[in-house]
Amino acid sequence: MIEFAARFLGIKLRPWQRWLLIHALELLEDGRYRYRKVVIIVGRQNGKTKLIEVLALWWLFVDSESFPEHIPADEFLVLGTAQDKDTAKKVWKKVLRRCNPNVQKWPNRFSPAARAAIVPALVGEAMPPSESNGSEAIILKNGAQYQIAASTSGGGRGDSISRAVLDELREQKNWEGWAALSKTLNGTYNSQMWAISSAGDARSVVLKDIRDSALEALKDWQAYVDAGITSIEEYANTHDVSIGVFEWSAPEDCKLDDPDAYLQSNPSIGYGYEVDALLSDLESGEPEHVTRTEVLGIWVTATFDPSLNVEVWPELADPPETDAEGAIVYNGSEISSTSPVILGVDTSTDRKRTWIGVAGWRDDGLQHLEVIDVVGRMTAVAGRVKAIADEWDIQFVALQARGCNASELKEPLEKLGLIVIEVSGPALGAGTGKMHDRVEDRRMRHRSQEALDQAVKHAATKKLNDVRVWDRESSPVDIAPLIAVSNAAYGLEAMPDAQESAYEDHGLLVA
């Protein structure tokens, strides 16, 4: 790739870019990439966009024909994504200007800069591009394509993607974009995904969790490999080493005016700009947390402390189990057939998703909490809740009746004949506190659902009078899945008749 950049694109990559490519593109003995996923964390203005441009061109014009016996070129798809489509399109346009045959066909329609960027050898391999909004695609004569999408839209979800780039991973506030993109690569031979970003904060949940997992793996590496207990090969055979994390960052306790810190986190210093240029930003009044994350690569995470016990939560998981063929051999946690069942509802702060949760008693007397659906349009929520209630013969729905987006669902749900249990006033604190106690006392079970797990891991609370309540605004992720099941659990316990019946059915004393 380094040779390709120099010979065809006239780009002499910087030392850090060359070093990264040499290691991130390491091969296994059979020629496949060592890493299926590559995560790069480096300060802004260090040449990330240029690196992605070269990477996409290499994948498209060279790598698309690497394994024709496993994936023919006409099935080779490169997908560029970011938090929004406009960001993804910036790189796509840079790639297009290198190989757009329309520039040579109608040169007067393009600027001198556009004509100068054209690479004749690449133009000869390309078809006229599709540039209409929503169907942008660079298409080669061998059938390989480079498309773009917003990661939040689930772009490429239905396609088998060979290579993918996710720009500015720090902007991913939940796992939906990463999950949708990464799963499309799972069924493709020798697929590879790159995610590149500057450092983030507590809201950058995807980047933070991947980085934390890498740091945790390093502990094992140091304990076993460095100590000589096991070899590198043995370690690789018993651990997941398919994700490579490459980070340039300054020490966490560095001073903002320390030149060495900027050299450590900005490997392009000396290639276009100097330390003085970065230090001058301090004098312009740039906030310290911006400098630390985006320039020095230091994570600002101390401002957030999860409200629930995130160490106990995984112990309460009781998910379904499958055999090697994918057949379910154990259903996981379930509500008893004799238990009352309560629905819980809550809506995200941006109104884009309303989550429906359920609570009931298990045969062993513990509570079962589960997310059972998510609805995109607010106007469709009441009808969906009613459909679930009719299917499961449920009468009660618990939700916060004032001060949140979900409160507007109370009236339409009641008009549909459902009984709404209001989680408002003192009940807000009780619902939050009881959820804390259920986890701490291990009095519930869940099915280890990603949306709920992430909400639990990042849920914040705030003080309201003398109690603490869920804080949607301060939580770095959408905690509506957690609030939905918390409301359902509160509703289950707030019904004396239902509670007494459930306890008697399971032979327990009524508290």
Side-chain angles (χ1 to χ4, degrees):
M1 188 181 296
I2 296 167
E3 182 183 2
F4 170 82
R7 178 180 298 183
F8 290 95
L9 308 179
I11 296 174
K12 184 178 180 181
L13 294 168
R14 296 167 182 174
W16 80 270
Q17 295 169 325
R18 297 199 297 269
W19 184 92
L20 173 64
L21 291 175
I22 289 170
H23 292 284
L25 298 177
E26 287 180 6
L27 303 178
L28 301 173
E29 290 185 355
D30 60 4
R32 291 178 297 124
Y33 287 125
R34 172 183 175 185
Y35 299 117
R36 290 181 62 85
K37 298 179 179 69
V38 177
V39 178
I40 301 105
I41 305 170
V42 65
R44 63 188 182 189
Q45 303 302 317
N46 277 281
K48 296 193 294 288
T49 301
K50 181 65 68 177
L51 182 66
I52 296 174
E53 176 189 347
V54 173
L55 186 69
L57 284 162
W58 159 264
W59 280 341
L60 197 59
F61 285 90
V62 180
D63 211 20
S64 61
E65 298 183 345
S66 294
F67 289 94
E69 69 276 19
H70 294 287
I71 178 167
D74 60 2
E75 296 179 9
F76 193 94
L77 174 59
V78 178
L79 185 69
T81 69
Q83 71 274 18
D84 57 73
K85 195 171 183 179
D86 287 341
T87 301
K89 196 169 185 176
K90 290 178 182 178
V91 179
W92 184 86
K93 285 183 174 180
K94 289 181 179 295
V95 173
L96 177 60
R97 69 175 185 164
R98 301 285 188 173
C99 60
N100 190 349
N102 292 336
V103 176
Q104 290 189 339
K105 189 174 182 179
W106 301 295
N108 292 334
R109 296 183 183 181
F110 296 86
S111 67
R115 295 196 297 268
I118 278 292
V119 180
L122 303 186
V123 171
E125 300 295 327
M127 300 282 287
S130 172
E131 298 187 71
S132 58
N133 189 34
S135 59
E136 297 90 341
I138 298 171
I139 308 169
L140 302 194
K141 291 178 179 178
N142 65 9
Q145 293 193 34
Y146 175 22
Q147 301 176 6
I148 56 173
S151 58
T152 53
S153 69
R157 187 184 296 271
D159 299 314
S160 293
I161 299 171
S162 304
R163 307 286 183 268
V165 172
L166 202 168
D167 198 6
E168 288 302 333
L169 185 58
R170 59 170 286 158
E171 298 298 331
Q172 302 297 314
K173 302 301 191 291
N174 59 59
W175 281 88
E176 291 182 17
W178 173 277
L181 187 58
S182 62
K183 285 180 172 56
T184 60
L185 285 95
N186 288 342
T188 306
Y189 184 82
N190 195 35
S191 62
Q192 191 175 64
M193 173 179 175
W194 280 50
I196 192 162
S197 180
S198 52
D201 53 29
R203 296 170 298 175
S204 308
V205 294
V206 180
L207 183 58
K208 182 179 183 299
D209 286 353
I210 291 173
R211 181 178 183 271
D212 287 348
S213 296
L215 293 176
E216 190 66 27
L218 282 177
K219 295 179 182 178
D220 285 347
W221 179 279
Q222 291 170 345
Y224 295 108
V225 178
D226 290 355
I229 298 174
T230 185
S231 68
I232 293 175
E233 289 77 11
E234 290 170 335
Y235 185 92
N237 287 334
T238 56
H239 293 75
D240 181 10
V241 292
S242 64
I243 296 182
V245 180
F246 301 83
E247 175 177 319
W248 284 261
S249 58
E252 293 184 6
D253 58 351
C254 72
K255 296 180 179 180
L256 288 182
D257 60 353
D258 181 1
D260 286 340
Y262 290 87
L263 289 169
Q264 188 167 335
S265 56
N266 293 272
S268 283
I269 287 177
Y271 294 86
Y273 67 102
E274 302 296 334
V275 173
D276 292 345
L278 296 176
L279 291 174
S280 67
D281 289 339
L282 298 177
E283 300 175 3
S284 67
E286 182 177 78
E288 179 177 336
H289 73 274
V290 173
T291 302
R292 287 193 175 275
T293 55
E294 297 191 29
V295 181
L296 294 173
I298 299 171
W299 284 73
V300 180
T301 57
T303 56
F304 176 75
D305 186 24
S307 300
L308 298 180
N309 192 327
V310 296
E311 294 183 358
V312 171
W313 181 258
E315 299 175 10
L316 308 180
D318 186 12
E321 296 178 3
T322 58
D323 59 19
E325 285 72 37
I328 296 177
V329 295
Y330 171 62
N331 289 328
S333 182
E334 293 180 310
I335 296 173
S336 171
S337 60
T338 61
S339 171
V341 181
I342 310 294
L343 295 178
V345 176
D346 196 63
T347 303
S348 60
T349 55
D350 60 8
R351 300 175 61 86
K352 291 183 178 179
R353 295 175 181 82
T354 297
W355 298 83
I356 304 172
V358 68
W361 302 102
R362 293 164 31 124
D363 285 330
D364 58 8
L366 297 173
Q367 278 191 2
H368 168 93
L369 303 183
E370 181 182 353
V371 172
I372 57 174
D373 205 356
V374 57
V375 183
R377 291 184 295 109
M378 285 288 287
T379 54
V381 174
R384 179 58 183 150
V385 173
K386 174 62 174 173
I388 294 173
D390 289 345
E391 181 181 353
W392 290 22
D393 193 23
I394 298 173
Q395 292 180 291
F396 297 91
V397 181
L399 56 81
Q400 184 177 337
R402 292 185 294 278
C404 69
N405 289 327
S407 63
E408 64 190 67
L409 297 169
K410 178 178 182 295
E411 184 176 345
L413 288 172
E414 288 178 334
K415 287 183 177 180
L416 291 173
L418 296 172
I419 301 172
V420 174
I421 300 174
E422 296 189 22
V423 187
S424 303
L428 281 177
T432 305
K434 286 177 178 291
M435 189 67 196
H436 175 275
D437 295 342
R438 287 184 204 98
V439 175
E440 203 70 43
D441 299 337
R442 296 166 170 78
R443 291 189 285 107
M444 53 76 62
R445 295 292 184 268
H446 61 91
R447 294 168 70 87
S448 190
Q449 298 167 294
E450 188 172 277
L452 182 56
D453 289 347
Q454 288 299 316
V456 168
K457 189 173 182 179
H458 300 283
T461 59
K462 61 183 177 182
K463 194 168 184 180
L464 184 64
N465 297 322
D466 292 330
V467 297
R468 301 202 70 83
V469 301
W470 300 120
D471 189 350
R472 298 176 183 83
E473 292 291 342
S474 297
S475 298
V477 303
D478 179 13
I479 62 169
L482 170 60
I483 299 177
V485 300
S486 175
N487 288 342
Y490 175 83
L492 184 68
E493 295 182 1
M495 299 172 57
D497 294 339
Q499 185 182 21
E500 183 174 347
S501 173
Y503 273 101
E504 289 177 348
D505 284 341
H506 298 302
L508 301 173
L509 296 175
V510 179

